[in-house]
PDB file of all heavy atoms in Angstrom:
ATOM      1  N   GLY A 128     127.716  39.872-168.131  1.00  0.00           N
ATOM      2  CA  GLY A 128     127.866  39.956-166.654  1.00  0.00           C
ATOM      3  C   GLY A 128     129.303  39.755-166.330  1.00  0.00           C
ATOM      4  O   GLY A 128     130.214  39.987-167.177  1.00  0.00           O
ATOM      5  N   SER A 129     129.587  39.314-165.124  1.00  0.00           N
ATOM      6  CA  SER A 129     130.943  39.148-164.617  1.00  0.00           C
ATOM      7  C   SER A 129     131.197  37.647-164.435  1.00  0.00           C
ATOM      8  O   SER A 129     130.383  36.962-163.882  1.00  0.00           O
ATOM      9  CB  SER A 129     131.105  39.818-163.290  1.00  0.00           C
ATOM     10  OG  SER A 129     132.391  39.435-162.719  1.00  0.00           O
ATOM     11  N   CYS A 130     132.296  37.206-164.993  1.00  0.00           N
ATOM     12  CA  CYS A 130     132.745  35.848-164.867  1.00  0.00           C
ATOM     13  C   CYS A 130     133.704  35.729-163.718  1.00  0.00           C
ATOM     14  O   CYS A 130     134.859  35.362-163.865  1.00  0.00           O
ATOM     15  CB  CYS A 130     133.356  35.355-166.127  1.00  0.00           C
ATOM     16  SG  CYS A 130     133.521  33.536-166.251  1.00  0.00           S
ATOM     17  N   HIS A 131     133.289  36.199-162.587  1.00  0.00           N
ATOM     18  CA  HIS A 131     134.135  36.242-161.402  1.00  0.00           C
ATOM     19  C   HIS A 131     133.232  36.069-160.112  1.00  0.00           C
ATOM     20  O   HIS A 131     132.140  36.627-160.004  1.00  0.00           O
ATOM     21  CB  HIS A 131     134.780  37.587-161.272  1.00  0.00           C
ATOM     22  CG  HIS A 131     135.567  37.824-160.054  1.00  0.00           C
ATOM     23  ND1 HIS A 131     136.686  37.177-159.703  1.00  0.00           N
ATOM     24  CD2 HIS A 131     135.336  38.767-159.034  1.00  0.00           C
ATOM     25  CE1 HIS A 131     137.157  37.560-158.526  1.00  0.00           C
ATOM     26  NE2 HIS A 131     136.396  38.504-158.137  1.00  0.00           N
ATOM     27  N   GLY A 132     133.744  35.200-159.308  1.00  0.00           N
ATOM     28  CA  GLY A 132     133.056  35.050-157.981  1.00  0.00           C
ATOM     29  C   GLY A 132     131.744  34.346-157.937  1.00  0.00           C
ATOM     30  O   GLY A 132     131.307  33.700-158.994  1.00  0.00           O
ATOM     31  N   TYR A 133     131.025  34.519-156.893  1.00  0.00           N
ATOM     32  CA  TYR A 133     129.674  33.867-156.778  1.00  0.00           C
ATOM     33  C   TYR A 133     128.687  34.461-157.750  1.00  0.00           C
ATOM     34  O   TYR A 133     128.658  35.756-157.936  1.00  0.00           O
ATOM     35  CB  TYR A 133     129.186  34.003-155.341  1.00  0.00           C
ATOM     36  CG  TYR A 133     127.840  33.383-155.164  1.00  0.00           C
ATOM     37  CD1 TYR A 133     127.657  32.039-154.969  1.00  0.00           C
ATOM     38  CD2 TYR A 133     126.730  34.239-155.087  1.00  0.00           C
ATOM     39  CE1 TYR A 133     126.435  31.484-154.820  1.00  0.00           C
ATOM     40  CE2 TYR A 133     125.456  33.682-154.957  1.00  0.00           C
ATOM     41  CZ  TYR A 133     125.373  32.332-154.758  1.00  0.00           C
ATOM     42  OH  TYR A 133     124.061  31.663-154.659  1.00  0.00           O
ATOM     43  N   GLY A 134     127.921  33.661-158.429  1.00  0.00           N
ATOM     44  CA  GLY A 134     126.899  34.274-159.424  1.00  0.00           C
ATOM     45  C   GLY A 134     127.516  34.633-160.676  1.00  0.00           C
ATOM     46  O   GLY A 134     126.856  35.364-161.464  1.00  0.00           O
ATOM     47  N   ALA A 135     128.714  34.141-160.945  1.00  0.00           N
ATOM     48  CA  ALA A 135     129.396  34.499-162.282  1.00  0.00           C
ATOM     49  C   ALA A 135     128.554  34.023-163.437  1.00  0.00           C
ATOM     50  O   ALA A 135     127.947  32.872-163.348  1.00  0.00           O
ATOM     51  CB  ALA A 135     130.740  33.848-162.352  1.00  0.00           C
ATOM     52  N   THR A 136     128.611  34.841-164.586  1.00  0.00           N
ATOM     53  CA  THR A 136     127.917  34.506-165.732  1.00  0.00           C
ATOM     54  C   THR A 136     128.749  34.785-166.924  1.00  0.00           C
ATOM     55  O   THR A 136     129.785  35.424-166.944  1.00  0.00           O
ATOM     56  CB  THR A 136     126.596  35.335-165.804  1.00  0.00           C
ATOM     57  OG1 THR A 136     126.914  36.690-165.766  1.00  0.00           O
ATOM     58  CG2 THR A 136     125.590  35.078-164.813  1.00  0.00           C
ATOM     59  N   TYR A 137     128.377  34.242-168.115  1.00  0.00           N
ATOM     60  CA  TYR A 137     129.033  34.349-169.432  1.00  0.00           C
ATOM     61  C   TYR A 137     127.780  34.309-170.485  1.00  0.00           C
ATOM     62  O   TYR A 137     126.682  34.049-170.182  1.00  0.00           O
ATOM     63  CB  TYR A 137     130.009  33.460-169.692  1.00  0.00           C
ATOM     64  CG  TYR A 137     129.610  32.055-169.817  1.00  0.00           C
ATOM     65  CD1 TYR A 137     129.437  31.489-171.101  1.00  0.00           C
ATOM     66  CD2 TYR A 137     129.272  31.188-168.678  1.00  0.00           C
ATOM     67  CE1 TYR A 137     128.975  30.111-171.242  1.00  0.00           C
ATOM     68  CE2 TYR A 137     128.872  29.914-168.889  1.00  0.00           C
ATOM     69  CZ  TYR A 137     128.733  29.380-170.121  1.00  0.00           C
ATOM     70  OH  TYR A 137     128.252  28.062-170.223  1.00  0.00           O
ATOM     71  N   CYS A 138     128.218  34.507-171.718  1.00  0.00           N
ATOM     72  CA  CYS A 138     127.133  34.387-172.842  1.00  0.00           C
ATOM     73  C   CYS A 138     127.711  33.511-173.906  1.00  0.00           C
ATOM     74  O   CYS A 138     128.907  33.691-174.208  1.00  0.00           O
ATOM     75  CB  CYS A 138     126.809  35.813-173.388  1.00  0.00           C
ATOM     76  SG  CYS A 138     125.477  35.786-174.485  1.00  0.00           S
ATOM     77  N   LEU A 139     126.879  32.767-174.399  1.00  0.00           N
ATOM     78  CA  LEU A 139     127.137  32.028-175.719  1.00  0.00           C
ATOM     79  C   LEU A 139     126.369  32.503-176.824  1.00  0.00           C
ATOM     80  O   LEU A 139     125.052  32.579-176.738  1.00  0.00           O
ATOM     81  CB  LEU A 139     126.796  30.475-175.474  1.00  0.00           C
ATOM     82  CG  LEU A 139     127.097  29.544-176.695  1.00  0.00           C
ATOM     83  CD1 LEU A 139     128.557  29.535-177.043  1.00  0.00           C
ATOM     84  CD2 LEU A 139     126.570  28.172-176.403  1.00  0.00           C
ATOM     85  N   VAL A 140     126.944  33.086-177.780  1.00  0.00           N
ATOM     86  CA  VAL A 140     126.336  33.652-179.007  1.00  0.00           C
ATOM     87  C   VAL A 140     126.559  32.710-180.195  1.00  0.00           C
ATOM     88  O   VAL A 140     127.697  32.329-180.443  1.00  0.00           O
ATOM     89  CB  VAL A 140     126.914  35.036-179.380  1.00  0.00           C
ATOM     90  CG1 VAL A 140     126.259  35.601-180.554  1.00  0.00           C
ATOM     91  CG2 VAL A 140     126.674  35.988-178.184  1.00  0.00           C
ATOM     92  N   SER A 141     125.483  32.363-180.868  1.00  0.00           N
ATOM     93  CA  SER A 141     125.518  31.500-182.022  1.00  0.00           C
ATOM     94  C   SER A 141     125.063  32.314-183.266  1.00  0.00           C
ATOM     95  O   SER A 141     123.975  32.908-183.130  1.00  0.00           O
ATOM     96  CB  SER A 141     124.604  30.190-181.889  1.00  0.00           C
ATOM     97  OG  SER A 141     125.011  29.489-180.843  1.00  0.00           O
TER      98      SER A 141
END
Side-chain angles (χ1 to χ4, degrees):
S129 173
C130 195
H131 172 67
Y133 180 77
T136 56
Y137 67 99
C138 186
L139 179 64
V140 177
S141 297

